[in-house]
Amino acid sequence: MHLSTHTWMRPEPLELTLKRATSLGYKSIELAGEPNRYSVNETAALLSKYNLTCWGAVTLMYGSRNLAAVDQAQRDNTISYMKNVVDLAAGLRGEIVTLVPCTVGKLQPSASSSDEWDWVVNGVREVALHASEKGIRIAIEPLNRFETYLITNTSQALQLVDTVNMPNVGVTFDTFHLNMEEPDLLAAIRMCGNKIFDVHLGDNNRLAPGDGSLDWPRIVKTLREVGYHGALAFESMPPIDRTPRGAFGSSQMKPEPWDVDPGTLQFLKDHASGVLREDYYSGMLARTAETILPLIE
């Protein structure tokens, strides 16, 4: 196993992300799934400069992106978007794409459960077929019940994996989401077994590992027991303290206005966050490295 980091939690130049990551002992990145944001050639050159690799990418499901949409054109556009994310990962010699099937923050279905299930199965299968041609594995990520209504735990994710029935489809195990939804986090890891294709790191409170109550030595030990040897990708997104105690958010967030595209900004706000201060964000990555690296080195 090795330590990785996502790039979506703080909008900033990619070179700053990579420079910070390599200085703290990270070995790879999991790119935000925005293919238009990254030039493959330029990104590859930066990765080489900082001696990092691209582990993969994650779909960012905001706006109209939704495999369970009633509108066929909307589903088709979502599939096309996901294929482009696969192409981005493949172009950078990545291994996985984490796929969230539905729009984050959408908490009610728009059609019958059976119809939505069929649309998601068909959409994931089409993306996975494309990914198989590129040498990319697709990892379905369950989100907690406050961020989605469809695929919220490992049993549901594994049922989707089984129904899609392709060898390059597995599960992303996100410790933050699943500590909320699983009665036994370690048992859930064992149940997923070799179908864990990616792991996202956040403590029970979505702070950095070590700043909450999760038992990281036991989690890493159990991942090792089931044969997982991929990335452990930092993905903490702290709640913002907007009270006087937190200086009304200024101890964590940059002052507004923020120079961020509307889609990304809405995605951050939907996570009850904003554009984090660089020193605060760097501290979370350092805390994660401090907690996780001794367990995997």
Side-chain angles (χ1 to χ4, degrees):
M1 286 179 278
H2 72 272
L3 195 55
S4 183
T5 180
H6 285 263
T7 66
W8 68 265
M9 294 90 68
R10 185 176 193 272
E12 61 185 10
L14 182 60
E15 184 159 12
L16 176 58
T17 302
L18 302 185
K19 183 177 181 180
R20 180 195 300 115
T22 196
S23 72
L24 294 172
Y26 288 72
K27 301 299 183 185
S28 74
I29 59 167
E30 187 167 334
L31 278 174
E34 296 292 357
N36 294 332
R37 186 181 301 169
Y38 302 106
S39 157
V40 169
N41 290 338
E42 291 176 5
T43 302
L46 284 173
L47 288 168
S48 177
K49 177 178 178 179
Y50 290 100
N51 197 29
L52 293 166
T53 61
C54 177
W55 168 244
V58 58
T59 62
L60 299 186
M61 301 300 288
Y62 60 78
S64 62
R65 296 168 181 171
N66 185 9
L67 288 181
V70 173
D71 181 62
Q72 175 73 56
Q74 187 178 346
R75 298 198 303 272
D76 289 344
N77 288 337
T78 302
I79 290 169
S80 178
Y81 157 71
M82 290 176 170
K83 288 179 178 179
N84 289 338
V85 175
V86 168
D87 291 344
L88 172 66
L92 292 167
R93 299 182 179 179
E95 297 186 32
I96 61 93
V97 164
T98 286
L99 187 152
V100 175
C102 302
T103 308
V104 174
K106 186 175 186 297
L107 301 180
Q108 294 292 329
S110 300
S112 72
S113 296
S114 60
D115 281 345
E116 291 196 337
W117 177 259
D118 287 343
W119 293 332
V120 168
V121 168
N122 291 335
V124 171
R125 185 177 288 130
E126 184 172 341
V127 175
L129 282 167
H130 179 74
S132 68
E133 298 171 356
K134 305 284 185 174
I136 296 292
R137 294 177 295 158
I138 297 296
I140 306 298
E141 182 177 11
L143 305 183
N144 72 76
R145 71 192 73 181
F146 304 110
E147 295 190 35
T148 190
Y149 63 95
L150 189 61
I151 315 299
T152 61
N153 59 48
T154 53
S155 295
Q156 295 169 356
L158 288 170
Q159 186 172 27
L160 180 56
V161 170
D162 289 343
T163 306
V164 172
N165 192 28
M166 292 190 61
N168 68 323
V169 179
V171 173
T172 290
F173 199 97
D174 185 302
T175 54
F176 164 71
H177 291 299
L178 294 174
N179 98 93
M180 297 173 64
E181 300 296 341
E182 299 292 344
D184 185 331
L185 198 62
L186 302 181
I189 292 173
R190 296 187 185 101
M191 181 172 66
C192 291
N194 64 6
K195 282 299 182 180
I196 296 178
F197 286 0
D198 191 18
V199 174
H200 293 175
L201 300 179
D203 221 309
N204 69 296
N205 48 12
R206 212 166 195 180
L207 295 179
D211 285 342
S213 63
L214 294 184
D215 188 336
W216 292 101
R218 292 185 70 193
I219 289 170
V220 171
K221 180 175 181 287
T222 307
L223 286 167
R224 187 173 285 115
E225 287 171 355
V226 301
Y228 183 73
H229 52 77
L232 304 176
F234 165 80
E235 196 188 26
S236 298
M237 177 53 66
I240 302 301
D241 186 350
R242 292 178 169 85
T243 69
R245 188 177 70 92
F248 303 105
S250 66
S251 63
Q252 295 168 284
M253 292 192 299
K254 285 179 60 176
E256 297 191 58
W258 298 321
D259 184 19
V260 183
D261 68 89
T264 297
L265 182 58
Q266 188 60 51
F267 196 66
L268 293 171
K269 288 183 174 181
D270 287 346
H271 284 80
S273 190
V275 179
L276 299 174
R277 286 173 39 163
E278 184 180 348
D279 59 341
Y280 181 82
Y281 186 68
S282 296
M284 291 199 300
L285 276 102
R287 178 61 167 151
T288 299
E290 174 187 286
T291 301
I292 301 299
L293 285 178
L295 304 176
I296 61 177
E297 289 180 333

